[in-house]
Amino acid sequence: FFGDSITSGVFDRAPEHQPSFAEVIAARHPGYFPATIGAGFGSLHHADAVRRIDEVLALNPDAKVVALSFGSNDWDPVAFRKDLLEVVGRVRAAGKIPMVARIPFRTVSKEDFAARLGAVVDAVTREEKLLPGPDLYAYFRAHPERLMDGLHPDPAGSREMIRLWAEAAAPLYAR
């Protein structure tokens, strides 16, 4: 799970964020218990994602899937698209499956940058024929009370993010 501070907080394995992604997958898909690495970095911007993706890929060369969840600190759709395509390309070049989440809705911004960047995520997902990640925008727009500071999920919101990632990843575990 490579992303910004939201990713860092949700996938930190804190007791209040349980069950973990691996536990949710194991419960839904017997015989599977995926190894996970939380690679979230506070204040990560799209350009930082390009600079850090090789480091993240090196954390576990055997990983099959890289869950990408960044954009909460970004605002420029053109630059975001360019860097998202670069990150997706590097993940694929490493022989891995990229999944990109729609950027979570936030209540602390006068402009809805997440919606604009979400349109970029949708376009890249469609054009690159990616398995879609979860729609974190729709969830948090419908449940702003799950944002403890208008941006970062509270413990219940974190558990919902984990659930949404597990639902999005379900096709990977189809028999």
Side-chain angles (χ1 to χ4, degrees), residues 3-53:
D4 51 32
S5 61
I6 296 169
T7 304
S8 178
V10 170
F11 295 97
D12 66 357
R13 299 199 173 119
E16 62 270 13
H17 298 160
Q18 301 304 310
S20 70
F21 174 80
E23 291 167 325
V24 173
I25 292 297
R28 293 176 181 206
H29 307 282
Y32 292 98
F33 195 89
T36 61
I37 296 173
F41 301 91
S43 302
L44 185 89
H45 290 269
H46 56 82
D48 301 320
V50 172
R51 285 191 288 276
R52 295 197 95 148
I53 188 60

Side-chain angles (χ1 to χ4, degrees), residues 158-171:
S158 294
R159 290 188 299 272
E160 287 300 308
M161 273 187 62
I162 291 166
R163 178 187 64 79
L164 292 166
W165 268 109
E167 287 176 1

